[in-house]
Amino acid sequence: MSIYSMYVISKSGGLIYNKDFADIAKVDTNDALRLASIWHSLHAIAGQLSPVPGCTGIELLEAETFNLHCFQTLTGTKFLLVVEPNAPYIPAVLQRIYELYADYVLKNPFYEVEQVIKCELWDEALEALVRRQGAGPGGLVMGGSGAAASMYG
Amino acid sequence: MVCYNIYIFNRQGACIYYHEWFRPKSVKQGAGTLADDQKQMFGLFWTLSNFCATLDPKDTSKQQLGAPRKIGQGCRFHSFTTNNYKMHFLETPSGFKLVLNTGRDTGDARELLGALYDELVVERCIKNPAYVPGSPITSLDGFTPALTAFLKQRGALVAAQPGH
């Protein structure tokens, strides 16, 4: 399974969603909350320390046993994906996750922005996406999830 | 491949060497002063190292975030990429930390940093009887030209920089 876990950080730096997809050493809730806030600050400091102007923050962190991909939306929400070092197509997966977020979280009338995400359809769609991604790269390139794809005809 | 700047920190966390080849965004717009910039850089990679050790999926005996960590213990990161630069990091077992900021399209520079440490820091500083351990490397003549020549020879330093 190439995707290990996923975190969503709100624009103020708080953790609003996290999920582990593999049975590897998990991070407990308190540590996950701290890690999210720490990431939010490090993302900003990397931009400040940049030798070149126009830096928008860390997009990829490479470590020995995992890679961390970060996608920051225009509104400041960050999607983090912890994956194994050679996982393919991760920027495309992050784009797709952002689409699912827009469809199942933001369009949910009971969801308040910046609060913890508790939407069933979002959980299901995310699970399906990661399972398809784990099955093979063809699954992602061919089509999106049923509901979203049917909206576009 | 373009190199922007390099930092070398010793075991105690003091920056003993800093050199920049090309830095369009001045230090004043970033951290303020060079000393602050170096401290922030140290804080950044120190926190990232702790962050990676906690997030490591393969380590079942890892400790809580914030627990003291020895050099070399736990999963370490070796680089991060942003939208316009890439930072490479190497921590040696003796506690020396090398940070190199390069252009975004650089590949894996772990071997380059290792060779840089072997051929420059060890040969010219550690083995130098006139070098006082812990003091800034800038006091040694010939280190900076040797560093620039080393990187040029490896194809890591582009000769004409403006216009990127």
Side-chain angles (χ1 to χ4, degrees), chain B residues 94-159:
Chain B
S94 54
F96 274 82
K97 297 169 243 286
L98 284 84
V99 172
L100 181 67
N101 288 334
T102 67
R104 197 198 145 111
D105 51 359
T106 313
D108 192 354
R110 276 182 278 186
E111 188 258 315
L112 175 74
L113 275 179
L116 203 156
Y117 177 71
D118 279 336
E119 290 169 34
L120 286 161
V121 181
V122 173
E123 292 296 318
R124 288 178 165 268
C125 300
I126 317 284
K127 290 187 180 172
N128 187 336
Y131 174 67
V132 176
S135 67
I137 297 181
T138 30
S139 57
L140 286 177
D141 297 327
F143 188 81
T144 305
L147 174 65
T148 311
F150 173 84
L151 287 173
K152 275 214 179 88
Q153 185 206 17
R154 292 287 184 124
L157 205 58
V158 179

Side-chain angles (χ1 to χ4, degrees), chain A residues 65-80:
Chain A
T65 52
F66 69 92
N67 280 359
L68 178 86
H69 292 254
C70 174
F71 173 65
Q72 181 174 40
T73 69
L74 292 167
T75 50
T77 310
K78 290 183 254 302
F79 294 91
L80 303 190

Side-chain angles (χ1 to χ4, degrees), chain A residues 4 24-25 31 34-35 38 42 46-57 59-60 62-66, chain B residues 4 23-25 30 37 40 44 47 51 56-59 64-65 75-85 104:
Chain A
Y4 293 142
I24 40 82
D31 271 356
R34 283 187 212 118
L35 285 174
I38 289 174
L42 293 178
Q48 197 185 46
L49 283 175
S50 160
V52 189
C55 179
T56 56
E59 292 182 356
L60 168 64
E62 290 169 279
E64 287 167 4
T65 52
F66 69 92
Chain B
Y4 296 117
R23 188 167 189 163
K25 181 180 182 197
D37 183 75
Q40 272 199 352
L44 178 66
T47 313
F51 184 87
D56 183 9
K58 296 284 190 315
D59 185 3
Q64 291 261 335
L65 189 68
C75 172
R76 287 152 295 175
F77 82 102
H78 53 82
S79 76
F80 72 70
T81 315
T82 69
N83 65 321
N84 55 13
Y85 77 101
R104 197 198 145 111

Side-chain angles (χ1 to χ4, degrees), chain A residues 5 7 20 28 38 64-65 70 83-84 87 106 108-109 127 136-137 147:
Chain A
S5 53
Y7 299 80
D20 292 309
D28 72 340
I38 289 174
E64 287 167 4
T65 52
C70 174
V83 301
E84 67 183 9
L106 294 179
N108 183 331
E127 190 83 32

Side-chain angles (χ1 to χ4, degrees), chain B residues 38-95:
Chain B
Q38 288 161 2
K39 281 185 213 155
Q40 272 199 352
M41 180 55 84
F42 179 83
L44 178 66
F45 68 68
W46 193 84
T47 313
L48 271 175
S49 300
N50 278 356
F51 184 87
C52 289
T54 311
L55 210 50
D56 183 9
K58 296 284 190 315
D59 185 3
T60 43
S61 64
K62 64 189 176 190
Q63 296 153 316
Q64 291 261 335
L65 189 68
R69 198 180 48 89
K70 296 203 185 78
I71 296 173
Q73 191 186 30
C75 172
R76 287 152 295 175
F77 82 102
H78 53 82
S79 76
F80 72 70
T81 315
T82 69
N83 65 321
N84 55 13
Y85 77 101
K86 186 166 180 179
M87 184 265 226
H88 307 269
F89 176 70
L90 176 73
E91 183 175 16
T92 68
S94 54

Side-chain angles (χ1 to χ4, degrees), chain A residues 1-142:
Chain A
M1 175 68 102
S2 54
I3 298 182
Y4 293 142
S5 53
M6 192 214 147
Y7 299 80
V8 184
I9 302 177
S10 71
K11 93 166 154 265
S12 49
L15 181 71
I16 56 177
Y17 187 78
N18 73 321
K19 189 167 176 90
D20 292 309
F21 297 108
D23 275 337
I24 40 82
K26 298 188 193 231
V27 177
D28 72 340
T29 336
N30 283 334
D31 271 356
L33 284 163
R34 283 187 212 118
L35 285 174
S37 315
I38 289 174
W39 178 261
H40 181 82
S41 317
L42 293 178
H43 189 91
I45 291 179
Q48 197 185 46
L49 283 175
S50 160
V52 189
C55 179
T56 56
I58 304 179
E59 292 182 356
L60 168 64
L61 174 71
E62 290 169 279
E64 287 167 4
T65 52
F66 69 92
N67 280 359
L68 178 86
H69 292 254
C70 174
F71 173 65
Q72 181 174 40
T73 69
L74 292 167
T75 50
T77 310
K78 290 183 254 302
F79 294 91
L80 303 190
L81 219 52
V82 181
V83 301
E84 67 183 9
N86 313 332
Y89 305 112
I90 298 297
V93 175
L94 279 168
Q95 262 313 114
R96 192 75 199 99
I97 291 178
Y98 184 37
E99 285 170 31
L100 293 179
Y101 172 78
D103 286 334
Y104 294 115
V105 179
L106 294 179
K107 290 179 189 170
N108 183 331
F110 298 109
Y111 175 71
E112 291 170 43
V113 202
E114 305 276 289
Q115 296 305 311
V116 173
I117 298 174
K118 279 191 163 70
C119 309
E120 252 186 68
L121 286 177
W122 153 258
D123 286 319
E124 286 168 15
L126 197 57
E127 190 83 32
L129 175 69
V130 173
R131 242 181 302 129
R132 240 198 343 267
Q133 176 62 18
L140 182 70
V141 179
M142 300 267 278

